[in-house]
Amino acid sequence: DKGGWDSFMDKEIHEDPSAVRNTLIGRFDEDGEIKLDEVHIDAEAFRQIDKIIVVACGTASYAGMVAKYAIEHWVRIPVEIELAHEFRYRDPILTPRTLVVAISQSGETMDTLMALRHAREQGSRVLAICNTQGSTIPRESDAVLYTHAGPEIAVASTKAFVAQIVAAYLLGLYLAQVKCTLYRDEIHQILDQLKQMPEKIQWVLDHEAESINDAASKMINAKSFLFLGRHVGYPVAMEGALKLKEIAYTFTEGFAAGELKHGPIALVEEGEPVVVIVPSSRGRNVLHNKVISAIEEVKARGAFTIAVAEVGDPDAEKYADIVFWRPECPTLLSPLVDVVPLQLLALDMAELKGYDVDKPRNLAKSVTVE
Ligand code: F6R
């Protein structure tokens, strides 16, 4: 049931706020102590973990890439992201102290399942982050942390992505708690900030939909799009590029903004849309200026620039042709809001082109073959 929306994808994007809210519910108490009682791995075993490897595909892998920035910062252990289909064919280094985190919306992705089987055979523990109760990946894992995004019907993944980031963040905060790498107060503060994210996402849905739709109609004839970001904005750029490929059948590429001068800038031609995820300018964030100069660089070569930027950012306003605004929030949490305009942009482009947004050509909701 689409509940009055034109498509499941439209409905599910509008469920981004509740996906975040529901994934947080019941996972910590009033004092800010993380409680992952459902995860049957004892605290001592968690304390021993010295490396995390995330195995996942597509959108789920981008959620893992976002989580890497947060978990390495909070827990000070290395986090690697590996596309599940590449993982077991290269003899990865796995020990009993490695925690393999398999992220999957459907819980049935064969590539991810084969990767986790390999990890368990090598003696590592596997924790699944999954949206589908009772599916194969959680059943075959040592533990599971469910994302409570609710059933996702549209082929293109949207609300599951934000829920996966939240679940991975809860895991990171739990590790920080058992390993004492963050103070109780710090964990409490991050949880408070996470709790505020649903309303920030809602703000984007309420205030930016019209300008996103306008932008989509302006770019309807574009043959290709580039997406740029840095730090946590980098996986968001790749996710935005993937959404547009999947449902609007537009050739897109997402990459790290710093890489521009090492090659991709050669692609920029007159009128080329370039979508840029701009980090906050607060706290004299050095990356802000670097990303703004990336906008200037591509603009000087004729690009049509679209920025996703924090409300009130004077540079985004000045340099980008169009800005999709998002509320102020901490850098590590910004992917939860920054991805929303990109989901809407893909939806609008696909609808304007007259495509079936819920069932894009050549794709299936869960890929059960290797
Ligand atoms: C993107 C998309 C795919 C899936 C990928 C993993 O919109 O739908 O890239 O994210 O196939 O699927 P799950 O999460 O079910 O393992």
Side-chain angles (χ1 to χ4, degrees):
D1 177 21
K2 293 179 195 156
W5 298 97
D6 289 342
S7 62
F8 281 108
M9 185 175 174
D10 203 0
K11 171 175 180 269
E12 289 161 6
I13 294 171
H14 287 83
E15 289 168 348
D16 283 343
S18 58
V20 169
R21 195 176 296 118
N22 293 340
T23 301
L24 288 170
I25 285 176
R27 265 120 186 211
F28 51 88
D29 66 17
E30 283 152 31
D31 304 326
E33 174 153 354
I34 314 268
K35 305 250 187 230
L36 301 181
D37 299 339
E38 55 197 303
V39 174
H40 301 293
I41 296 178
D42 61 54
E44 189 45 42
F46 267 117
R47 218 166 278 132
Q48 300 289 324
I49 297 300
D50 63 3
K51 184 171 83 173
I52 291 179
I53 305 180
V54 175
V55 292
C57 303
T59 292
S61 76
Y62 299 139
M65 276 183 69
V66 169
K68 172 187 169 83
Y69 291 85
I71 298 176
E72 289 192 344
H73 183 63
W74 294 334
V75 192
R76 308 309 297 157
I77 58 171
V79 179
E80 294 172 12
I81 312 299
E82 182 98 22
L83 290 169
H85 34 89
E86 287 293 317
F87 182 66
R88 72 188 173 119
Y89 298 101
R90 63 162 188 97
D91 196 14
I93 301 166
L94 292 158
T95 76
R97 298 178 69 173
T98 307
L99 179 67
V100 171
V101 178
I103 308 182
S104 176
Q105 188 288 128
S106 62
E108 300 296 345
T109 300
M110 187 57 77
D111 289 319
T112 309
L113 180 62
M114 297 309 275
L116 81 83
R117 282 184 185 160
H118 179 77
R120 293 193 72 196
E121 276 161 22
Q122 305 296 308
S124 294
R125 279 197 179 74
V126 177
L127 182 143
I129 290 180
C130 184
N131 197 46
T132 312
Q133 301 270 340
S135 55
T136 312
I137 287 171
R139 269 194 283 121
E140 292 206 15
S141 299
D142 296 285
V144 53
L145 191 55
Y146 280 108
T147 46
H148 296 302
E152 194 178 63
I153 309 294
V155 165
S157 188
T158 54
K159 62 178 180 173
F161 177 72
V162 289
Q164 284 158 353
I165 293 173
V166 171
Y169 277 20
L170 286 168
L171 172 66
L173 291 173
Y174 181 69
L175 278 162
Q177 179 177 292
V178 298
K179 285 173 167 282
C180 301
T181 53
L182 288 180
Y183 291 112
R184 184 60 83 76
D185 284 359
E186 293 175 296
I187 296 177
H188 207 234
Q189 190 192 10
I190 297 164
L191 288 171
D192 275 343
Q193 291 163 339
L194 270 168
K195 280 196 278 188
Q196 292 167 27
M197 294 313 288
E199 41 187 284
K200 299 192 185 213
I201 299 173
Q202 191 62 50
W203 187 93
V204 174
L205 293 170
D206 293 343
H207 292 83
E208 296 301 282
E210 229 179 276
S211 83
I212 294 166
N213 198 273
D214 278 359
S217 46
K218 283 200 185 102
M219 298 183 291
I220 194 73
N221 294 317
K223 296 230 164 14
S224 65
F225 275 69
L226 302 179
F227 287 75
L228 309 179
R230 280 189 86 132
H231 192 261
V232 286
Y234 168 36
V236 172
M238 292 201 285
E239 171 60 5
L242 179 63
K243 288 291 92 90
L244 206 50
K245 282 186 183 102
E246 284 185 294
I247 61 165
Y249 315 144
T250 308
F251 193 92
T252 61
E253 196 69 71
F255 49 88
E259 195 62 7
L260 199 58
K261 57 188 175 300
H262 300 289
I265 198 160
L267 287 170
V268 177
E269 49 185 47
E270 194 60 37
E272 172 87 32
V274 181
V275 181
V276 187
I277 316 300
V278 183
S280 169
S281 60
R282 283 173 298 114
R284 273 179 271 156
N285 182 350
V286 284
L287 288 182
H288 173 265
N289 291 351
K290 292 194 192 293
V291 173
I292 293 291
S293 38
I295 298 181
E296 291 182 76
E297 291 283 326
V298 294
K299 212 178 148 82
R301 287 157 181 87
F304 181 70
T305 54
I306 304 103
V308 177
E310 193 165 89
V311 166
D313 182 333
D315 298 315
E317 181 96 75
K318 185 165 160 201
Y319 295 107
D321 294 300
I322 297 183
V323 185
F324 301 151
W325 297 109
R326 64 149 175 91
E328 189 178 314
C329 68
T331 299
L332 288 172
L333 306 192
S334 59
L336 297 171
V337 275
D338 286 341
V339 75
V340 180
L342 308 186
Q343 295 172 343
L344 288 173
L345 180 67
L347 174 77
D348 290 349
M349 297 275 300
E351 279 182 343
L352 287 166
K353 290 179 167 191
Y355 298 142
D356 180 345
V357 298
D358 288 337
K359 288 199 180 59
R361 69 185 184 200
N362 309 343
L363 296 173
K365 184 65 184 160
S366 59
V367 184
T368 53
V369 291
E370 237 196 309

